[in-house]
Amino acid sequence: MKFQILTATIALSLAGPTLAHEGGDLMIYDNGSGGLSFGLYDFDGGTGVVLDAGPVWIIATELSANWESTGKPGTDEPGWATDGSSPSDPSTPKIQFPFPANSALTVTANVLPVLGGNAAYWNGVGPVSFSTTLPNDVELEDAFSSLVFDGSAVAPAGSVSPWISGLDGTAHDHLEFLLDAPDASAAPGIYLISLSASAGSLDSQPLYVLMGFGGSALTDVELEEAIESAEVYVQTVIIPEPASATLLALAGLTLARRRRS
């Protein structure tokens, strides 16, 4: 299973944008401006290292066949985390990334800008061309509830939550992304949804999630290339201003590529 993140980094007392990382999860934190931001966090070995303050706008993950013996394509990457540690680069200023204590992280769905549906699909072949007519519904699940994305013009009602933070404001767990179809009939290609997170009175900017499934139609290389093309499409077409302006300003930099097997 492979997992990628594309970031647009805005200076937060850090030394310039860093767009390449290995391993890690989404880090959610109080940005001090009345909202939540997503960054990058490394839980490997339990060390708890902040990789980048972000903000992260786009994540991309690959769905594995027969996920958790469901018979459907799925994944639980990326993880969702908080942290109170400092950036991994010792030369950068030491910044804390707080999250409210005893607070549930609530994840809700959005309607995609420009496309006008709660989800979109592209078969991964040729020029990027997303449609809100989905061959399969997309599901996002926690242990108790789920959001179902069908491409309609209304965001799915309800929410899911990976955790409630502890007394020190830290937490780490996973949600599951699934296609609502058996492996054999699930349509290969790229699926796109948009999510927002909240905790108490704090809300995040939209997060755009690209899910790639190769099935028997797309090789690993073809799927990776399709995901990269879809990332650029979301970066330049879907993300509204002022975020897109920030991303375009970083166009000469390398897309962040993260891999987890």
Side-chain angles (χ1 to χ4, degrees):
M1 176 172 53
K2 299 176 181 177
F3 169 51
Q4 310 173 39
I5 282 187
L6 170 67
T7 69
T9 303
I10 298 175
L12 185 65
S13 301
L14 292 175
T18 303
L19 298 184
H21 300 287
E22 295 294 332
D25 293 302
L26 285 169
M27 177 183 69
I28 303 94
Y29 65 95
D30 181 347
N31 59 27
S33 299
L36 297 175
S37 289
F38 295 102
L40 304 178
Y41 191 80
D42 186 0
F43 251 94
D44 290 348
T47 54
V49 176
V50 175
L51 299 173
D52 198 322
V56 169
W57 297 89
I58 305 169
I59 64 171
T61 190
E62 292 187 19
L63 306 178
S64 299
N66 194 28
W67 174 252
E68 296 290 308
S69 301
T70 60
K72 301 177 180 180
T75 185
D76 66 353
E77 296 295 345
W80 303 69
T82 68
D83 181 58
S85 70
S86 299
S88 56
D89 183 353
S91 67
T92 62
K94 301 307 178 185
I95 304 169
Q96 299 302 307
F97 298 93
F99 189 87
N102 298 315
S103 295
L105 180 70
T106 301
V107 179
T108 55
N110 304 314
V111 172
L112 293 164
V114 181
L115 296 173
N118 60 41
Y121 168 78
W122 167 50
N123 65 6
V125 179
V128 179
S129 180
F130 276 100
S131 168
T132 56
T133 300
L134 302 185
N136 315 118
D137 289 349
V138 176
E139 299 175 347
L140 178 62
E141 300 181 348
D142 62 18
F144 305 101
S145 57
S146 65
L147 297 173
V148 178
F149 301 79
D150 58 6
S152 65
V154 179
S159 64
V160 292
S161 178
W163 39 253
I164 297 174
S165 62
L167 291 175
D168 59 356
T170 61
H172 172 221
D173 212 329
H174 296 251
L175 297 170
E176 291 191 324
F177 298 92
L178 294 163
L179 296 185
D180 188 19
D183 292 328
S185 60
I190 311 299
Y191 296 78
L192 170 65
I193 62 174
S194 175
L195 304 172
S196 292
S198 63
S201 62
L202 302 177
D203 298 310
S204 76
Q205 87 279 347
L207 179 71
Y208 297 90
V209 183
L210 290 160
M211 291 155 282
F213 178 58
S216 60
L218 298 173
T219 66
D220 288 345
V221 171
E222 290 170 337
L223 184 61
E224 288 186 13
E225 290 176 347
I227 289 174
E228 290 174 358
S229 296
E231 287 174 341
V232 173
Y233 176 88
V234 174
Q235 170 188 344
T236 56
V237 176
I238 299 299
I239 295 180
E241 298 290 350
S244 59
T246 302
L247 286 164
L248 288 171
L250 300 174
L253 299 174
T254 304
L255 296 181
R257 301 291 304 280
R258 297 176 42 190
R259 297 289 184 266
R260 176 172 290 181
S261 301

